[in-house]
């Protein structure tokens, strides 16, 4: 396969409700899509970098530039390009995992569409559906939080994740337990705490949470290991797990007993599968995180989340939880599960009209002849 043309698209998609985390409030998604054309098939991918470098050091505009100026040029001219060849060809560029993940995903989508194989089949998916949970942002009051959670439970979501930060932790968790009883419940701090909060975080133990996600800085593996020794709630890492090696080392250090897998964060679906394999070998359960993706990124995440090691409910929610209009056919949970797309590649394509409505910029990246 050889890349014949490449285009980057920027979309602005409003969120149905503001999503507040310890790193800021999102009211819209600044989406970066990559569209590749080869003689055999087209490939689509979504880069999960966010508008500002607050969740991680990457951000949309930087990912856009690095893909156009540094990553794609290393692939142009490779005559027998496959997804497995992308990471080696890009290895000279340091970091920028989310940007690299999007490039590899677009090549993989084209390759699988050409072969008539679904991403799930290719990755080794064993489950026809994925258990759908929902991530609930920080609210202004307990009352409005409980209203939001009640709505999601009525929609059938199988697990609730509460975003927490200092000053918004024990009370919202206690109120949610009081109101809704023994529902599957977990929390995510996006690195908002420091080591000195360890005793405070141990007070979450009485609530029987599935896990506490990334309380400390992404580089502070030792603090997570220390917390793991004093709490009974399983400690899960998100931001810290940037590769299969990072997962191996964190598990060996005793820093986590659960891992959140996001393909963008680890540099692609192939590395994400290796993270899954490392965790499975260590007996560490994994689950699929999310980055407020449109249907393009969500479709691919569903395929990965159907691998056998994904034993905890995902952060993959239905389209309506994010957007009034998704850019693909909307995903909808049925009885708390979302079906894994079965068509070739990621199994979905952007709907031309929906795409036209929210596209604000396009850049074709010239392929040397
Ligand atoms: O930390 O898991 C996170 C969204 C954007 C960036 C980071 C995170 C999240 C979520 C929402 O929690 C997951 C989703 O519904 O896509
Ligand atoms: Mg997280």
């Amino acid at each position: 396969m050889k890349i014949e043309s490449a285009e980057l698209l920027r979309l602005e998609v409003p969120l149905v409700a503001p999503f507040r985390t310890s790193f800021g409030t999102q009211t819209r998604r600044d989406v970066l899509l990559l569209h590749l054309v080869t003689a055999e098939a087209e490939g689509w991918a979504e880069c999960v970098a966010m508008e500002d470098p607050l969740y991680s050091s990457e951000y949309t505009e930087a990912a856009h530039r690095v893909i156009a100026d540094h990553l794609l040029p290393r692939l142009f001219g490779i005559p027998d390009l496959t997804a497995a060849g992308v990471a080696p060809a890009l290895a000279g560029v340091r970091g920028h995992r989310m940007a690299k993940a999007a490039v590899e995903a677009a090549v993989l989508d084209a390759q699988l569409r050409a072969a008539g194989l679904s991403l799930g089949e290719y990755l080794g998916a064993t489950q026809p559906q994925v258990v759908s949970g929902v991530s609930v942002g920080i609210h202004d009051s307990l009352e409005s939080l409980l209203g939001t959670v009640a709505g999601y439970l009525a929609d059938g979501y199988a697990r609730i994740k509460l975003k927490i930060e200092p000053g918004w932790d024990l009370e919202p968790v206690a109120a949610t337990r009081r109101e809704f009883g023994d529902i599957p419940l977990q929390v995510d701090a996006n690195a908002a705490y420091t080591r000195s909060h360890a005793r405070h975080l141990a007070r979450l133990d009485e609530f029987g949470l599935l896990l506490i996600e990334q309380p400390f800085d992404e580089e502070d593996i030792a603090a997570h290991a220390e917390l793991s020794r004093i709490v009974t709630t399983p400690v899960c890492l998100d931001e810290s797990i940037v590769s299969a090696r990072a997962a191996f080392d964190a598990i060996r250090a005793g820093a986590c007993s659960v891992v959140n897998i996001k393909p963008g964060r680890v540099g692609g679906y192939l590395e994400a599968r290796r993270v899954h394999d490392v965790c499975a070998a260590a007996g560490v359960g994994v689950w699929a995180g999310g980055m407020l993706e449109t249907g393009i990124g969500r479709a691919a995440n569903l395929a990965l989340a159907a691998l056998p090691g994904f034993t905890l409910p995902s952060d993959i929610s239905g389209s309506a939880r994010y957007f009034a209009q998704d850019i693909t056919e909307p995903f909808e949970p049925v009885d708390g599960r979302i079906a894994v797309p079965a068509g070739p590649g990621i199994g979905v394509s952007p709907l031309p009209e929906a795409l036209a409505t929210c596209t604000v910029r396009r850049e074709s990246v010239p392929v040397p002849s």
Side-chain angles (χ1 to χ4, degrees):
M1 220 170 54
K2 185 175 178 304
I3 297 173
E4 294 188 344
S5 75
E7 189 178 37
L8 289 163
L9 293 88
R10 291 287 284 280
L11 325 176
E12 254 180 49
V13 195
L15 293 173
V16 291
F19 183 62
R20 179 171 156 202
T21 68
S22 57
F23 60 82
T25 302
Q26 316 297 316
T27 58
R28 63 171 191 197
R29 196 67 174 90
D30 172 19
V31 177
L32 172 62
L33 295 184
L34 174 58
H35 180 217
L36 297 180
V37 177
T38 73
E40 296 82 15
E42 302 186 16
W44 284 97
E46 177 171 354
C47 179
V48 299
M50 302 187 77
E51 186 161 5
D52 298 307
L54 306 175
Y55 162 79
S56 72
S57 65
E58 291 188 80
Y59 64 102
T60 320
E61 188 63 26
H64 182 140
R65 289 270 43 95
V66 83
I67 290 172
D69 299 341
H70 299 281
L71 303 182
L72 288 174
R74 290 177 182 247
L75 304 184
F76 295 151
I78 299 182
D80 51 354
L81 182 65
T82 62
V86 170
L90 302 182
V93 175
R94 304 288 177 192
H96 296 285
R97 288 183 170 89
M98 292 175 179
K100 289 175 176 175
V103 172
E104 184 193 81
V107 172
L108 183 54
D109 184 42
Q111 175 185 329
L112 296 178
R113 284 183 204 251
L117 193 67
S118 74
L119 181 59
E121 290 170 296
Y122 172 84
L123 291 172
T126 55
Q127 312 172 54
Q129 300 125 15
V130 168
V131 178
S132 180
V134 61
S135 177
V136 183
I138 292 165
H139 280 56
D140 291 335
S141 70
L142 293 175
E143 196 189 354
S144 69
L145 172 75
L146 297 178
T148 298
V149 172
Y152 289 143
L153 292 173
D155 292 339
Y157 286 108
R159 180 273 280 148
I160 299 292
K161 169 169 121 178
L162 300 183
K163 290 290 193 182
I164 59 168
E165 67 181 1
W168 182 264
D169 44 30
L170 300 173
E171 286 191 357
V173 169
T176 302
R177 272 278 177 256
R178 216 181 302 121
E179 187 79 7
F180 304 108
D182 199 22
I183 58 166
L185 184 65
Q186 64 193 51
V187 294
D188 183 6
N190 289 112
Y193 294 87
T194 63
R195 218 178 255 262
S196 63
H197 291 106
R199 285 279 146 220
H200 176 73
L201 292 171
R203 296 176 63 193
L204 288 167
D205 282 344
E206 67 172 285
F207 299 106
L209 301 177
L210 289 169
L211 57 89
I212 175 172
E213 181 179 350
Q214 197 74 41
F216 308 129
D217 186 83
E218 63 179 84
E219 294 183 7
D220 205 347
I221 295 300
H224 290 98
E226 194 177 297
L227 182 69
S228 296
R229 287 192 289 272
I230 70 163
V231 297
T232 57
T233 307
V235 174
C236 170
L237 291 175
D238 173 356
E239 287 89 327
S240 296
I241 305 301
V242 297
S243 64
R245 182 198 288 149
F248 183 87
D249 290 347
I251 292 166
R252 195 173 49 179
C256 62
S257 56
V258 182
V259 167
N260 166 322
I261 301 187
K262 293 177 181 173
R265 199 192 59 221
V266 304
Y269 285 87
L270 302 186
E271 184 71 3
R273 183 171 56 182
R274 289 189 283 270
V275 175
H276 163 275
D277 294 349
V278 160
C279 292
V284 165
V286 304
W287 57 284
M291 291 290 292
L292 311 175
E293 291 92 342
T294 70
I296 294 294
R298 185 168 318 281
N301 287 348
L302 282 164
L304 178 73
L307 266 62
F310 284 76
T311 53
L312 286 146
S314 73
D315 259 358
I316 305 174
S317 313
S319 295
R321 177 258 175 268
Y322 307 99
F323 313 112
Q325 192 189 28
D326 207 333
I327 60 166
T328 61
E329 291 294 343
F331 286 98
E332 236 180 283
V334 176
D335 297 329
R337 288 165 190 266
I338 302 182
V340 179
I346 63 172
V348 300
S349 296
L351 301 169
E353 275 167 40
L355 192 61
T357 310
C358 56
T359 301
V360 293
R361 202 170 128 202
R362 310 172 82 115
E363 177 179 348
S364 22
V365 186
V367 182
S369 46

